Amino acid sequence: MRFRIYRYDPESGAAPTVQEYELDFDPKGKKVLDALIAIKDTLDESLSFRRSCREGVCGSDGVNVNGTNVLACVTPLEGLKQPIEIRPLPRLGVIRDLIVDMAQFYQHYRAVKPYLINLDPEPENERLQSPEERAELDGLWECILCACCTTSCPSFWWNPDKFLGPAALLQGYRFIADTRDQSTNERLDFLEDPYRLFRCHGIMNCVEVCPKGLNPTAAIGKIKSLLVKRAL
Amino acid sequence: MSKPMNSSQIPKRTFDAVIVGGGGAGLRAALQLSQANLKVALISKVFPTRSHTVSAQGGITAALANVSDDNWHWHMYDTVKGSDYLGDQDAIEFMCRNAASAVYELEHMGLPFSRLENGKIYQRPFGGQSQNYGGEQAIRTCAAADRTGHALLHTLYQRNIAARTQFFDEFFALDLIRDDEGTVLGVVAVEIETGEASLFESRATLLATGGACRIFRHSTNAHINTGDGLGMVLRAGLPLEDMEFWQFHPTGIPEVGSLISEGVRGEGGYLVNKDGEKFMQRYAPNALDLASRDVVARAIAQEIRAGKGCGEHGDYVHLKIEHLGAEKIMARLPGIRELSMQFAGADPITDPIPVTPTAHYMMGGIPTNMHGQVVSPVRYGPEEPTPGLYAVGECACVSVHGANRLGGNSLLDLVVFGRAAGQHVIEYLRENPYPRPLPQEKVDQVMARLARWDKPKGTETVAGLRDEMQRIMQDHCGVYRTEALLKEGLAMLDKVEARLPDAALSDHSKMFNTARLEALELENLMAIARATLVSALARTESRGAHTREDFPKRDDDRWLRHTLYFQQDDQLDYKPVRLKPLTVDTFQPKERTY
């Protein structure tokens, strides 16, 4: 199998390059991550990438494969056009090879206060929530923070420091949608901003690439309609 | 070859407490300490939500009685029985008694549990759960769909954001610093991005580094599960407990290893062999597919051996859930469906899932008491606390899981003992307000270990040796064991280990050098593999997950005791099982059937 992989060595002072690899590998049933590991184990120990769960739940190995943001561990090799081109996620700074600097992404995540705010005294047992109320959280809480969506978003490319991006906004809405949370107004106050929220133009790249099948655009739409309702 | 750096060259950071590991246990302990306004650092080799807790699926067990009649005494009985009586009953009582409050606390933190019609937390049946001390199936495992670990890990991380815990993400802990009196004074860790080492000085160090199933070729575990805390403890001269006990989860996807939750059988799924026979009725006539994991794993292995496995090589069986219907599968088991489609090529709505027993969980680990203090035999007894050192979660052996862990008790272990250890650290810090002098030579030793990998040339590779070790463990220390097999495995491991000094890296860069990390992880794995084989060889009985074909019976007269393994000369020691609970009566060991 043939690969073209983005390489950057921060210690060399040299500009990034694309390196070609020829790997003797049966792709049947295997994923992109299996190939990356095989390259590292047998051809080039210096090839660097993040990985952990290898089953699409930890969000470590978001990369760009043949032009699309994916999780390497759940992307089948079969059917990919060769040479398979693997690059770091777009727009974030590259630390080394396929490893990007996630600091900005995490900062946006923290900015939405991604935790339940409820100042009532804690009840003796659980707080009650009907299955219907709980269903409002489905499609929100499953986010794995892989950054595939945010780094595929043109609005984020243009304003990475000011636009929160789909992942952070999805988490912002996750707590707005939670019947146990008491901070909706403050959350909306924070989001009501020409950049943080309103740079989303509904391009929907986020929906297309989300490896968990989530829909940040819909969540952003719901935040927007809550803001409209509140204004009326 | 470069000389070891002088320790005075590495920067020192000082904290009240340092936690190594950002999974459920580490985050729960960190929260306790941050909320007490202590200066706490959480060091994790990955961003915390990449920790392996995220892969836990089925749920967290607590006798909330939301669905079936239930109480913690029954949960305790099931856990003691599930442990094949090797679990310490005081710790098990502590865990089961605190389970409900721990789960309610998670709910209050915001964990998005699935809900029942009445708005309470959804619970599902799991293996080994009973009402009334061995009666009807209990329904005890609290779930957020089949992504409970994800929900728990993210919730705890989020609470730590709110509590302003100080994170050192992508820092790799190398070794403990322990003075000659045995007090632990902190750890040396490498910042992965820069490759620079620094000393984290602290009066309390808590290890929460997770499991180590990566000693096996096939496992449900993440790549990062390399038992780093266990390696650190062994090198510090402390023992590991019950390392012969590794849980083989009955239902992993063949070759790939991904876990198919016990919750699948809890929701009504069942196993069949190639003849379509529901074979569990022959092995566990009462509990059937919800017998304990060791029992189900052995049953599957027997079927495969008897030529009743499915597929071309007959090396797996089928797990069927079609009869549950698409709607229930999508609502309760969406993650399982995704995994099955991605890694087994089977949509469980229409096709059976291929499954086979797969290394999943380490029951043994760093010996601790129920406050999370690391204990070892020193002078006066088998369980003297090591000042300044704690361990929690899968890396620890409290021991609540004994010879076999029950499903749903792992997430519970993380939060109950994470909280308990955090609480104890607070008291310990109050009683030990002064820093102690740091022995420079100990820091130098750690730096020398790191510098060893600067060696320019070698005849072995890290990946090659790791692969050989994993094959040895897979073939010689699996579901069924014999003296001959274990001895052969140990002899082979000796040879592989002897080649480790000949290994060298080709990548000697500093920044984000993952090859170097893998080398350091291999050192930890190798030590754990050895501890496992030596401990397994010595235990001449079958108990829980440790099945010796040459000693098929449990032998309480000789073996109702915990193994302690020391790295020096592969020395073994033993200590009694704590049979006396805190308040209730002892559950006396009896024959274990399901």
Side-chain angles (χ1 to χ4, degrees):
Chain A
M1 302 195 77
R2 285 176 306 128
F3 296 85
R4 285 169 52 82
I5 302 181
Y6 178 99
R7 301 299 310 271
Y8 172 62
D9 174 3
E11 286 163 65
S12 72
T17 55
V18 170
Q19 188 166 349
E20 304 203 8
Y21 294 98
E22 183 100 34
L23 181 69
D24 187 15
F25 199 66
D26 178 8
K28 194 170 178 304
K30 299 286 191 210
K31 314 294 186 213
V32 170
L33 180 64
D34 296 317
L36 287 173
I37 290 173
I39 291 171
K40 188 173 179 70
D41 283 356
T42 62
L43 298 177
D44 185 353
E45 207 172 62
S46 71
L47 178 65
S48 305
F49 49 89
R50 291 190 178 102
R51 86 283 182 272
S52 175
C53 76
R54 59 83 176 90
E55 57 189 18
V57 296
C58 80
S60 295
D61 63 348
V63 288
N64 187 282
V65 174
N66 287 352
T68 307
N69 290 354
V70 297
L71 292 181
C73 61
V74 295
T75 303
L77 285 167
E78 290 168 280
L80 287 178
K81 189 172 157 280
Q82 292 190 39
I84 297 168
E85 184 142 338
I86 308 177
R87 306 175 66 87
L89 290 176
R91 195 58 180 93
L92 300 175
V94 175
I95 295 173
R96 176 177 176 171
D97 297 344
L98 302 174
I99 296 165
V100 290
D101 182 353
M102 299 278 282
Q104 177 93 77
F105 177 82
Y106 294 140
Q107 197 183 321
H108 287 329
Y109 171 66
R110 284 195 305 270
V112 301
K113 297 194 176 164
Y115 41 84
L116 196 78
I117 297 175
N118 183 319
L119 299 176
D120 286 347
E122 281 178 358
E124 190 182 351
N125 297 337
E126 68 265 62
R127 294 192 181 98
L128 298 182
Q129 192 173 43
S130 73
E132 294 72 30
E133 289 169 340
R134 170 59 182 74
E136 291 297 315
L137 307 184
D138 284 334
L140 305 174
W141 69 276
E142 300 94 326
C143 173
I144 58 173
L145 302 176
C146 65
C148 282
C149 63
T150 296
T151 60
S152 74
C153 173
S155 298
F156 178 77
W157 299 341
W158 293 320
N159 293 290
D161 51 338
K162 291 186 245 168
F163 174 54
L164 293 176
L169 290 168
L170 186 80
Q171 288 317 296
Y173 184 63
R174 178 250 175 273
F175 289 96
I176 291 172
D178 196 322
T179 50
R180 300 171 295 174
D181 189 85
Q182 298 175 328
S183 200
T184 298
N185 253 324
E186 292 76 5
R187 292 182 190 279
L188 291 176
D189 288 346
F190 175 74
L191 294 170
E192 191 166 26
D193 177 278
Y195 283 97
R196 285 177 193 144
L197 172 75
F198 284 103
R199 283 289 124 172
C200 170
H201 299 305
I203 300 166
M204 294 182 73
N205 282 3
C206 54
V207 183
E208 202 138 307
V209 300
C210 176
K212 305 310 286 181
L214 311 181
N215 189 335
T217 307
I220 292 168
K222 286 181 178 168
I223 300 173
K224 286 179 178 170
S225 62
L226 282 174
L227 284 168
V228 171
K229 253 188 235 162
R230 192 171 75 150
L232 289 176
Chain B
M1 201 174 139
S2 63
K3 279 193 291 186
M5 272 166 57
N6 189 308
S7 63
S8 58
Q9 286 176 265
I10 74 168
K12 185 172 89 173
R13 300 171 147 111
T14 303
F15 293 88
D16 294 322
V18 167
I19 293 171
V20 183
L27 288 173
R28 184 60 193 85
L31 192 58
Q32 201 73 15
L33 295 167
S34 285
Q35 287 171 344
N37 288 321
L38 289 163
K39 196 176 174 213
V40 52
L42 191 145
I43 298 173
S44 173
K45 66 176 175 178
V46 292
F47 180 75
T49 66
R50 322 296 182 205
S51 306
H52 189 55
T53 303
V54 82
S55 289
Q57 298 171 353
I60 175 168
T61 300
L64 306 185
N66 284 356
V67 181
S68 69
D69 196 14
D70 211 355
N71 64 56
W72 67 258
H73 300 83
W74 301 346
H75 181 193
M76 178 180 172
Y77 167 80
D78 290 341
T79 303
V80 172
K81 178 183 171 189
S83 81
D84 220 346
Y85 298 93
L86 192 69
D88 288 327
Q89 298 196 16
D90 51 353
I92 294 175
E93 177 181 335
F94 183 82
M95 180 175 80
C96 296
R97 214 169 54 181
N98 283 291
S101 70
V103 167
Y104 291 140
E105 184 182 74
L106 289 168
E107 194 283 326
H108 298 159
M109 288 183 193
L111 197 150
F113 281 111
S114 298
R115 298 291 172 150
L116 298 162
E117 279 307 319
N118 63 10
K120 291 185 175 183
I121 293 171
Y122 173 78
Q123 294 186 284
R124 60 164 54 113
F126 246 49
Q129 296 179 348
S130 73
Q131 304 182 48
N132 242 322
Y133 312 104
E136 297 266 291
Q137 173 77 40
I139 300 172
R140 190 178 291 146
T141 299
C142 311
D146 57 355
R147 298 184 171 114
T148 316
H150 173 288
L152 183 143
L153 183 66
H154 281 251
T155 301
L156 286 173
Y157 180 64
Q158 291 162 348
R159 294 319 312 180
N160 273 282
I161 292 178
R164 304 169 68 94
T165 300
Q166 201 165 350
F167 287 99
F168 291 85
D169 298 334
E170 300 189 321
F171 276 65
F172 183 84
L174 291 171
D175 268 306
L176 299 168
I177 299 300
R178 197 173 173 219
D179 69 16
D180 289 335
E181 286 165 48
T183 303
V184 172
L185 307 169
V187 292
V188 175
V190 171
E191 180 175 16
I192 299 172
E193 185 177 335
T194 61
E196 301 290 350
S198 54
L199 171 64
F200 286 78
E201 184 193 36
S202 66
R203 285 173 286 140
T205 303
L206 187 145
L207 299 173
T209 55
C213 275
R214 284 278 156 180
I215 61 169
F216 295 100
R217 186 164 139 76
H218 298 300
S219 101
T220 65
N221 282 195
H223 285 290
I224 59 171
N225 285 24
T226 54
D228 304 324
L230 277 71
M232 290 161 65
V233 158
L234 282 176
R235 286 188 294 274
L238 293 162
L240 297 181
E241 180 174 344
D242 292 343
M243 290 304 291
E244 59 272 44
F245 296 101
W246 294 79
Q247 178 163 80
F248 294 85
H249 196 290
T251 58
I253 296 178
E255 290 296 314
V256 196
S258 288
L259 173 68
I260 297 296
S261 169
E262 188 166 299
V264 172
R265 281 169 286 137
E267 295 286 349
Y270 56 87
L271 297 160
V272 295
N273 58 23
K274 74 169 181 189
D275 304 326
E277 184 204 358
K278 296 184 184 180
F279 58 83
M280 277 313 297
Q281 57 200 1
R282 281 189 275 117
Y283 297 91
N286 298 311
L288 299 171
D289 294 88
L290 286 179
S292 236
R293 287 180 178 172
D294 55 337
V295 175
V296 182
R298 275 191 294 270
I300 296 174
Q302 292 278 4
E303 291 298 297
I304 291 171
R305 274 185 177 191
K308 295 203 172 165
C310 307
E312 198 184 331
H313 307 294
D315 53 359
Y316 57 83
V317 296
H318 277 144
L319 174 59
K320 284 169 83 78
I321 54 169
E322 300 102 279
H323 60 285
L324 299 182
E327 199 183 325
K328 186 165 179 188
I329 292 172
M330 309 278 255
R332 299 291 181 217
L333 305 165
I336 287 305
R337 179 169 179 247
E338 202 173 279
L339 280 176
S340 178
M341 286 164 54
Q342 282 167 340
F343 290 101
D347 181 350
I349 291 177
T350 50
D351 303 309
I353 311 171
V355 291
T356 198
T358 307
H360 178 57
Y361 186 86
M362 175 178 80
M363 268 77 71
I366 304 163
T368 73
N369 60 23
M370 67 180 133
H371 309 296
Q373 292 177 289
V374 174
V375 293
S376 67
V378 186
R379 267 166 301 223
Y380 309 108
E383 297 185 317
E384 284 182 53
T386 307
L389 186 62
Y390 291 77
V392 186
E394 187 171 342
C395 75
C397 181
V398 186
S399 151
V400 283
H401 309 306
N404 172 67
R405 175 173 71 76
L406 289 189
N409 269 352
S410 173
L411 292 182
L412 181 63
D413 171 2
L414 306 185
V415 290
V416 167
F417 293 105
R419 178 170 66 178
Q423 206 52 47
H424 201 276
V425 167
I426 294 169
E427 288 164 33
Y428 176 85
L429 291 173
R430 205 176 291 138
E431 286 160 18
N432 295 274
Y434 300 109
R436 296 163 64 95
L438 265 157
Q440 297 287 325
E441 71 280 6
K442 298 288 166 93
V443 181
D444 293 340
Q445 280 170 17
V446 182
M447 295 310 289
R449 183 175 157 244
L450 186 63
R452 171 256 174 272
W453 290 103
D454 293 338
K455 182 169 115 164
K457 275 197 167 42
T459 49
E460 302 286 348
T461 66
V462 168
L465 293 175
R466 183 180 55 215
D467 184 64
E468 286 189 46
M469 175 210 64
Q470 288 173 335
R471 285 174 193 274
I472 293 168
M473 295 307 287
Q474 189 75 29
D475 296 342
H476 295 82
C477 207
V479 177
Y480 285 101
R481 301 161 177 185
T482 63
E483 179 178 325
L485 202 59
L486 290 165
K487 273 193 171 156
E488 187 185 62
L490 192 54
M492 289 169 79
L493 188 75
D494 279 341
K495 287 187 187 149
V496 172
E497 245 188 313
R499 286 154 55 202
L500 190 56
D502 301 325
L505 301 173
S506 58
D507 178 2
H508 294 106
S509 62
K510 290 189 76 128
M511 293 181 73
F512 231 111
N513 185 337
T514 50
R516 183 166 71 160
L517 288 188
E518 288 183 27
L520 295 163
E521 289 173 337
L522 177 63
E523 292 175 340
N524 293 329
L525 286 170
M526 206 74 99
I528 294 163
R530 167 168 288 278
T532 300
L533 285 172
V534 171
S535 303
L537 189 56
R539 187 174 284 269
T540 49
E541 65 155 355
S542 289
R543 182 185 299 271
H546 175 66
T547 312
R548 288 281 300 256
E549 284 183 281
D550 40 357
F551 298 93
K553 290 257 181 289
R554 195 177 81 197
D555 181 353
D556 287 335
D557 291 338
R558 286 188 62 206
W559 289 107
L560 189 58
R561 54 182 185 164
H562 295 292
T563 307
L564 293 175
Y565 167 87
F566 294 82
Q567 194 167 38
Q568 189 170 11
D569 307 325
D570 285 342
Q571 220 182 324
L572 292 176
D573 194 357
Y574 293 91
K575 67 176 182 181
V577 174
R578 299 171 76 93
L579 291 171
K580 193 168 163 29
L582 298 170
T583 63
V584 297
D585 292 335
T586 298
F587 291 107
Q588 291 298 342
K590 57 181 186 187
E591 206 197 339
R592 184 167 161 259
T593 56
Y594 285 97

